[in-house]
Amino acid sequence: MSSIIKILPDHVINKIAAGEVVERPASVVKELIENAIDAGATEVFIDIEKAGTRLIRVTDNGSGMSKEDARTAFLRHATSKISDDADLEAIRTMGFRGEALSSIASVSHVRMLTATPGSSSGVMVEIEAGNVKSLADAGAPRGASFEISHLFYNTPARLKFLKSAATEFSHILAAVSRQAMAHPSIGFRLTHNKKPVLDLPLSMSVKERAFQLYGNEITENVMLFSGGRDNVHIHGLIGRPAYSRADRTYQDFYVNRRAVKNASLTHGLYSAYGDMLMRGRHPVGFIFIDIDPALVDVNVHPAKAEVLFRNQSQIHDLLRDVIREGLRAHGMPVISTPEATG
Ligand SMILES: Nc1ncnc2c1ncn2[C@@H]1O[C@H](COP(=O)(O)OP(=O)(O)OP(=O)(O)O)[C@@H](O)[C@H]1O
Ligand SMILES: [Mg+2]
């Protein structure tokens, strides 16, 4: 019998990967900001048109790329962040797979302008559906600027599943806000259809960044906390129990500055509050877990939105205890009953 199995061509492989990495315009924004952070940027500008369906532009003042790297960056599995499997055990950067740019480029048109510090000239690359259309020297400031247009033009199913512009933009705003909370020392600016939406100068602390993002009401109702042990430091802002909310809008967990969803961490937070929260109400919390990267696996989710702790229940208990201690330190009547761990 003749064989029926074949290896897919690269452009199909890239499109399949893109299906996982690039769910909606906000995913592109998230990946490009992560790259800017990894490049050491101190300023990131994000300009969006038509909720990202017409244009997503992310400009940073980071390390930039050489001409050679500007081309290589868009290839699948091309990364400067890890070089062998041992590196996977201790990831300190936001990116590590070398998949984001190749995925984005396979479902859009990309124009990138970049220059390294001190170089006499920069470079401009144009890519359509993953194919390089042009690569030429061009004047550019230090850093990198990515313009993504025609997103999902060659994946009509994905385009059809996009929600209204208001919903898609709210996802973009949430993605930018999460990155901004995690990196107060980076300045962010976000515009939509040329109108300013966020202007966050670099700030000194998480609390100051929370104020820039969410204003007085949230900032007045949160308390700083911090604690931990050995290789784990847990800190951030937690809401006064009396200031609970009807949803989880102001509740984010960050593991080594990466925004993640993790049911056990969420459970730890709620157990810390215990009876202080009314049924169906949610505490505000911006919670940072800084942990030895060897103790957490970040390579478990296609959009890097989840992590796996080597010792999940210890982290749960530690988080609960540190937050309880934080509440107690601020004069809240915490009751420390032993509970099942999540
Ligand atoms: N804004 C930027 N400034 C400088 N270099 C960049 C920038 N964006 C991307 N690069 C370079 O291009 C490479 C590929 O980026 P890409 O996002 O595809 O992969 P990654 O960040 O290494 O991993 P991941 O797929 O997990 O994001 C990066 O490793 C980096 O060397
Ligand atoms: Mg990346």
Side-chain angles (χ1 to χ4, degrees):
M1 218 171 105
S2 65
S3 64
I4 54 169
I5 302 176
K6 50 193 166 307
I7 305 288
L8 292 169
D10 276 351
H11 71 275
V12 181
I13 295 176
N14 281 340
K15 247 182 165 178
I16 292 170
E20 298 188 322
V21 176
V22 191
E23 192 191 339
R24 56 183 0 140
S27 332
V28 175
V29 174
K30 168 189 177 275
E31 293 294 341
L32 295 179
I33 296 178
E34 284 190 3
N35 282 345
I37 292 166
D38 285 343
T42 56
E43 258 180 357
V44 184
F45 297 155
I46 305 117
D47 300 301
I48 305 294
E49 288 178 23
K50 278 190 134 177
T53 55
R54 184 187 299 171
L55 177 74
I56 295 170
R57 185 193 302 117
V58 176
T59 305
D60 69 58
N61 64 350
S63 60
M65 277 174 270
S66 67
K67 196 169 184 177
E68 192 96 320
D69 283 347
R71 182 197 281 275
T72 316
F74 291 93
L75 299 177
R76 192 150 153 78
H77 309 306
T79 181
S80 57
K81 299 170 193 175
I82 62 170
S83 49
D84 64 29
D85 58 351
D87 295 339
L88 272 178
E89 305 294 317
I91 289 168
R92 294 175 192 279
T93 45
M94 296 292 131
F96 53 87
R97 311 156 307 176
E99 279 198 330
L101 290 184
S102 67
S103 297
I104 293 167
S106 73
V107 292
S108 68
H109 293 184
V110 179
R111 179 155 59 175
M112 179 184 70
L113 199 59
T114 184
T116 53
S119 58
S120 56
S121 155
V123 51
M124 186 166 90
V125 192
E126 288 181 302
I127 301 186
E128 285 176 22
N131 301 310
V132 178
K133 293 286 171 199
S134 71
L135 177 79
D137 291 341
R142 175 212 158 128
S145 180
F146 290 81
E147 283 184 7
I148 315 299
S149 60
H150 300 82
L151 183 61
F152 298 137
Y153 79 104
N154 56 354
T155 51
R158 200 39 78 90
L159 202 54
K160 217 169 72 195
F161 278 105
L162 290 184
K163 301 276 193 287
S164 69
T167 302
E168 292 302 333
F169 187 74
S170 75
H171 285 286
I172 291 173
L173 180 59
V176 176
S177 302
R178 276 195 292 269
Q179 301 278 6
M181 268 310 273
H183 299 92
S185 60
I186 297 178
F188 288 87
R189 203 181 65 197
L190 169 66
T191 67
H192 190 204
N193 300 330
K194 303 202 160 64
K195 295 195 190 74
V197 177
L198 289 176
D199 189 357
L200 315 170
L202 57 89
S203 64
M204 300 309 288
S205 67
V206 167
K207 190 151 187 190
E208 193 178 325
R209 182 47 58 87
F211 178 74
Q212 293 174 340
L213 273 167
Y214 304 124
N216 250 331
E217 183 179 331
I218 293 293
T219 321
E220 277 174 359
N221 284 294
V222 292
M223 311 175 289
L224 282 163
F225 76 99
S226 117
R229 66 157 186 261
D230 304 333
N231 299 323
V232 192
H233 181 222
I234 305 182
H235 59 105
L237 301 168
I238 43 171
R240 294 180 197 291
Y243 185 71
S244 62
R245 301 190 58 97
D247 61 31
R248 292 183 172 159
T249 315
Y250 300 103
Q251 208 182 85
D252 287 315
F253 294 90
Y254 301 86
V255 175
N256 293 343
R257 306 281 157 168
R258 184 191 303 285
V260 296
K261 298 254 174 280
N262 181 296
S264 169
L265 295 179
T266 306
H267 185 271
L269 171 68
Y270 284 78
S271 358
Y273 280 80
D275 290 345
M276 283 188 280
L277 276 181
M278 279 195 302
R279 243 189 132 62
R281 301 292 295 180
H282 304 277
V284 172
F286 301 101
I287 293 158
F288 296 87
I289 296 150
D290 295 334
I291 183 169
D292 177 345
L295 302 178
V296 59
D297 189 353
V298 294
N299 186 27
V300 293
H301 185 274
K304 298 174 285 185
E306 290 174 16
V307 295
L308 214 56
F309 293 103
R310 191 173 285 177
N311 198 329
Q312 187 80 62
S313 67
Q314 267 181 26
I315 300 291
H316 167 279
D317 293 357
L318 183 64
L319 175 94
R320 180 199 58 206
D321 295 346
V322 168
I323 292 178
R324 267 188 190 158
E325 202 37 60
L327 289 167
R328 200 176 280 127
H330 288 278
M332 308 294 150
V334 178
I335 304 159
S336 312
T337 45
E339 286 167 64
T341 57

